[in-house]
Amino acid sequence: MDRLAFASELARDAGKLAHSAFGQSVISLKGRHDLVTAMDREVERLIRKAIGRRYPDDALIGEEEGGDAGECVWIIDPIDGTANYARGIPHYCVSIAYVEGRVPAVGVLYDPSHDWLYAAARGEGAWRNGERLAVSPCAEMSAATVECGWSTRLPSADYTELVGRALGAGCAVRRAGSGALGLADVAAGRTEGYCELHINAWDCAAGILLVHEAGGRTNDFFAGGGLTAGNALLATNAALYAKLAGVTGFPS
Ligand code: IPD
Ligand code: CA
Ligand code: CA
């Protein structure tokens, strides 16, 4: 079984486990508005065990237990959208990416609430439940909906300024609480863009590949220390990239 098929099956299994305690898992706080549930940890253990058994020589970085980068590294988020998951809001997913030489080669998201499996392989395309994905063709800011991700890792004033600039440029702005699914929405053409001032690799590595393989563009998230320390992220289509890069101030 190749890595794409392996990751797809694993994401489904992990998502089914997560969904068995949807809205019911015990919550604790890692920091201000930074939730973790017992299920985040349980799902990460399941994923780690399966990858370790199948690909013992690959490195692995997970949100809950960390890990070190390597030339061949799996980047996993057991539950992305934990605040939604913990509150019983059906917008969260399991994210599994396989990155080679700092370039994502395989990216898979499983959204248990819809039974949607998003999958992408470098140079081959991106799909949702087997159906090919393509980014939105929209070229007008006045018709573009952009999701602006938020976390407490940066000052609130930076976020409100970003949202203000996007609104001022004519975009509609939303925030749905899962960076990974926000990128999947861009790949599927359901929104025109996703941006965040700081996001971690486990939130976005799989989603970035989905966007690229659906014909979209992102900044070079993995430049510098993106893989281990996170980075700013802009994902959109080719027609809007320069305009949104101007609005967000992120590198083009
Ligand atoms: C968070 C979500 C959120 C994004 C944050 C992430 P979590 O991940 O993806 O949408 O804006 O940057 O930390 O805590 O739900 O796994
Ligand atoms: Ca996350
Ligand atoms: Ca998480």
Side-chain angles (χ1 to χ4, degrees), residues 80 146-156 158-163 166 173-180 182-183 193-199 203 231-235 248 250:
D80 186 66
V146 175
E147 178 162 358
C148 298
W150 170 82
S151 79
T152 50
R153 293 184 294 277
L154 292 176
S156 304
D158 295 359
Y159 182 72
T160 51
E161 195 189 322
L162 175 69
V163 169
V173 169
R174 71 196 299 271
R175 175 180 171 262
S178 162
L183 291 165
Y194 184 90
C195 61
E196 186 156 348
L197 293 161
H198 175 270
I199 188 164
D203 305 311
N231 207 343
L233 177 65
L234 168 62
T248 58
F250 299 168

Side-chain angles (χ1 to χ4, degrees), residues 40 63-64 77-82 93 95 153 177-180 199-200 202-204:
D40 288 78
E63 173 166 15
E64 305 308 336
D77 193 341
I79 298 179
D80 186 66
T82 295
C93 67
S95 176
R153 293 184 294 277
S178 162
I199 188 164
N200 284 303
W202 47 77
D203 305 311
C204 65

Side-chain angles (χ1 to χ4, degrees), residues 140-144 169-172:
E140 298 305 323
M141 296 287 265
S142 57
C171 302

Side-chain angles (χ1 to χ4, degrees), residues 113-161:
S113 313
H114 295 93
D115 188 25
W116 280 349
L117 183 82
Y118 292 93
R122 186 164 73 234
E124 289 176 33
W127 304 268
R128 184 178 63 211
N129 288 0
E131 210 169 289
R132 194 83 186 226
L133 299 180
V135 294
S136 160
C138 172
E140 298 305 323
M141 296 287 265
S142 57
T145 289
V146 175
E147 178 162 358
C148 298
W150 170 82
S151 79
T152 50
R153 293 184 294 277
L154 292 176
S156 304
D158 295 359
Y159 182 72
T160 51
E161 195 189 322

Side-chain angles (χ1 to χ4, degrees), residues 41-62:
R41 299 197 164 111
E42 198 176 327
V43 172
E44 181 157 324
R45 282 196 295 271
L46 177 139
I47 297 173
R48 277 180 182 273
K49 226 190 254 170
I51 293 175
R53 253 198 319 260
R54 177 90 197 174
Y55 298 106
D57 297 331
D58 290 355
L60 195 159
I61 299 174

